[in-house]
C-alpha cells in the first residue's frame, strides 16, 4: 500500500463537527485556551487531499451555524437536524415544538436551495446517554426526521448507539424504498450491518470509533465496498494507539498539547478532518487492499449519496 500522501486528492469527510467550540479554542467551558484555528484545520485538510467536508449539525442553532460556515468555502457542505441526545430541546423550546420544527425545516430548505445542505441529521437513537434525553422522546423525533427527509427530499445522516433493535424496527416502519442515508460512526455487529444494508439506499460510515476492537475491524473488512463511507467525526473519534486498527495507520500529523498551541500543528487528542487519511489507511489495511482503490470507491459512494443531484 503506497504512502497516503502519494494518493490522488479525492477524499470526502462525510461527517465533521466543525462548529464544536474546540475549534474556537474552548474546552470543557474554558475559553481562550488557544486562538480560534479552524482556518488552520481546514488548510491541513485541503493539503491532505480532502476535496469536500460535510459539517454535522446536532440542533437548530448548530444547523444555522453550520450552514453559515458552509457558505464560506465551496468545498464545505452541511447537515441540518437534531441529535437524539438533544431532542428534549425541541419540546422545551420557548417558541414551542412546532415552531422549532418549522424553523429547522426552513434551514433545510434554504440550505438545499443553495446546494449547501446535503442531509437531514444528525438524527437517530442513543441508548448510551439517556440522561440527556429519554428514549420515548428520542423515538418520537427520530420518526419525525424521516418525514422531514421525505418532504425536503434529502438523504439522512443517522446516529445509532446502543439501540440497534429499536433503530432497526424504526427503519422497518418506513415506506418501502424511501430510505436513503448513512448510519455514521458505526460500531455494531456484522449482523446489524447486514440488516442496515438490506435497505439499498443506506450506507455505513466508518471512523476511529468504528475501529476500536478486533471485532470492529473484522466488520469493516467484511462490508461491501460500494456501501462504505469514511468520516472523522472530528473533533471526536480519532484512531488512538490502543485501537485495533492503529497498526495500519501510516500518516501522522504533527501534534502539540492545546496549552502549547502551534498554528502549524494539530491539537493532541482533538481529531480533525486531515486525519481522514488515517481512517482510509486503517480500513484499507484491514481489508488487505490498496488505499488508492479504496479512496476511489468511497469517493464515488459519497458522490452518489450526497452530491448526485
Amino acid at each position: 500500500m503506497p504512502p497516503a500522501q502519494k494518493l490522488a486528492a479525492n477524499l470526502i469527510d462525510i461527517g465533521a463537527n466543525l462548529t464544536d467550540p474546540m475549534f474556537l479554542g474552548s474546552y470543557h467551558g474554558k475559553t481562550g485556551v488557544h486562538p480560534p484555528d479552524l482556518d488552520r484545520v481546514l488548510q491541513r485538510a485541503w493539503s491532505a487531499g480532502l476535496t469536500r467536508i460535510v459539517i454535522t449539525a446536532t440542533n437548530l442553532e448548530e444547523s444555522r451555524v453550520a450552514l453559515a460556515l458552509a457558505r464560506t468555502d465551496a468545498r464545505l457542505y452541511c447537515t441540518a437536524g437534531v441529535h437524539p441526545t438533544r431532542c428534549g430541546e425541541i419540546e422545551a423550546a420557548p417558541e414551542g415544538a412546532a415552531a422549532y420544527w418549522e424553523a429547522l425545516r426552513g434551514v433545510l430548505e434554504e440550505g438545499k436551495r443553495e446546494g449547501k445542505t446535503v442531509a437531514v441529521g444528525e438524527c437517530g437513537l442513543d441508548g448510551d446517554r439517556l440522561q440527556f434525553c429519554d428514549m420515548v422522546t428520542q423515538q418520537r423525533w427520530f420518526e419525525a426526521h424521516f418525514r422531514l427527509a421525505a418532504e425536503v427530499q434529502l438523504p439522512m445522516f443517522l446516529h445509532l448507539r446502543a439501540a440497534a433493535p429499536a433503530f432497526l424496527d424504526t427503519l422497518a416502519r418506513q415506506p418501502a424504498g424511501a430510505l436513503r442515508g448513512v448510519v455514521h460512526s458505526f460500531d455494531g455487529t456484522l449482523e446489524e450491518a447486514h440488516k442496515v444494508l438490506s435497505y439499498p439506499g443506506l450506507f455505513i460510515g466508518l471512523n476511529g470509533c468504528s475501529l476500536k476492537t478486533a471485532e470492529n475491524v473484522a466488520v469493516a473488512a467484511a462490508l461491501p465496498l460500494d456501501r462504505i463511507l469514511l468520516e472523522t467525526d472530528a473533533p471526536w473519534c480519532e484512531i488512538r494507539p490502543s485501537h485495533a486498527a492503529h497498526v495500519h495507520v501510516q500518516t501522522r500529523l504533527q501534534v502539540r498539547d492545546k496549552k502549547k498551541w502551534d498554528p502549524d500543528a494539530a491539537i493532541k487528542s482533538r481529531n480533525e478532518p486531515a486525519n481522514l487519511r488515517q481512517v482510509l489507511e486503517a480500513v484499507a489495511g484491514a481489508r488487505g487492499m490498496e488505499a488508492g482503490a479504496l479512496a476511489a470507491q468511497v469517493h464515488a459512494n459519497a458522490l452518489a449519496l450526497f452530491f448526485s443531484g
Side-chain angles (χ1 to χ4, degrees), residues 223-271:
L223 296 172
L225 277 176
D226 62 350
R227 308 291 289 283
I228 294 173
L229 296 172
L230 301 183
E231 57 179 294
T232 58
D233 204 30
W236 317 107
C237 291
E238 65 178 340
I239 299 179
R240 298 179 179 178
S242 59
H243 290 184
H246 190 266
V247 65
H248 300 297
V249 171
Q250 301 177 36
T251 302
R252 291 176 177 82
L253 296 176
Q254 180 185 14
V255 298
R256 293 284 185 272
D257 184 272
K258 59 182 177 288
K259 295 179 181 179
K260 300 178 180 179
W261 183 78
D262 178 339
D264 297 320
I267 298 294
K268 183 179 180 181
S269 299
R270 185 191 70 176
N271 200 11

Side-chain angles (χ1 to χ4, degrees), residues 137-149:
T137 303
Q138 288 188 35
Q139 184 71 59
R140 178 161 51 250
W141 292 103
F142 186 28
E143 297 272 6
H145 277 88
F146 284 101
R147 295 191 292 272
L148 185 57

Side-chain angles (χ1 to χ4, degrees), residues 16-24 38 55-58 61-67 69 234-235:
N17 300 282
L18 298 186
T19 65
D20 192 278
M22 288 190 208
F23 297 114
L24 298 175
L38 182 59
I55 306 162
T56 312
T58 65
E61 181 57 27
E62 276 191 16
S63 297
R64 290 169 171 152
V65 173
L67 178 55
L69 178 56

Side-chain angles (χ1 to χ4, degrees), residues 50-290:
L50 276 71
T51 56
R52 308 186 202 200
I53 300 171
V54 179
I55 306 162
T56 312
T58 65
N59 67 0
L60 174 58
E61 181 57 27
E62 276 191 16
S63 297
R64 290 169 171 152
V65 173
L67 178 55
L69 178 56
R71 289 172 175 144
T72 67
D73 192 301
R75 296 163 290 188
L76 295 177
Y77 300 84
C78 62
T79 72
V82 184
H83 191 281
T85 63
R86 305 189 74 168
C87 285
E89 296 179 19
I90 304 171
E91 300 184 359
E95 68 272 27
Y100 184 108
W101 200 246
E102 282 307 305
L104 181 66
R105 183 198 307 275
V107 175
L108 274 163
E109 292 173 343
E110 182 180 3
K112 183 185 178 185
R113 283 195 302 271
E114 297 176 18
K116 282 296 184 180
T117 302
V118 296
V120 174
E122 181 177 351
C123 59
L125 298 176
D126 192 313
D128 270 347
R129 291 174 282 181
L130 295 175
Q131 69 271 28
F132 297 117
C133 185
D134 65 88
M135 188 57 70
V136 172
T137 303
Q138 288 188 35
Q139 184 71 59
R140 178 161 51 250
W141 292 103
F142 186 28
E143 297 272 6
H145 277 88
F146 284 101
R147 295 191 292 272
L148 185 57
E151 291 164 7
V152 299
Q153 296 187 324
L154 283 173
M156 302 181 74
F157 192 86
L158 298 165
H159 176 101
L160 166 59
R161 189 68 72 239
F167 184 93
L168 293 167
D169 286 347
T170 305
L171 296 185
R173 288 195 296 273
Q174 306 314 308
L179 295 176
R180 281 197 311 138
V182 55
V183 181
H184 103 105
S185 194
F186 185 81
D187 67 351
T189 66
L190 186 58
E191 180 183 5
E192 290 164 354
H194 285 157
K195 289 179 179 178
V196 167
L197 296 177
S198 68
Y199 300 96
L202 295 184
F203 292 75
I204 295 287
L206 300 175
N207 58 38
C209 290
S210 310
L211 301 166
K212 290 181 178 180
T213 69
E215 181 183 5
N216 292 154
V217 173
V219 171
L223 296 172
L225 277 176
D226 62 350
R227 308 291 289 283
I228 294 173
L229 296 172
L230 301 183
E231 57 179 294
T232 58
D233 204 30
W236 317 107
C237 291
E238 65 178 340
I239 299 179
R240 298 179 179 178
S242 59
H243 290 184
H246 190 266
V247 65
H248 300 297
V249 171
Q250 301 177 36
T251 302
R252 291 176 177 82
L253 296 176
Q254 180 185 14
V255 298
R256 293 284 185 272
D257 184 272
K258 59 182 177 288
K259 295 179 181 179
K260 300 178 180 179
W261 183 78
D262 178 339
D264 297 320
I267 298 294
K268 183 179 180 181
S269 299
R270 185 191 70 176
N271 200 11
E272 60 177 73
N275 284 328
L276 193 64
R277 288 289 191 186
Q278 297 186 347
V279 182
L280 173 70
E281 292 163 355
V283 175
R287 300 180 70 97
M289 67 182 296
E290 196 264 335

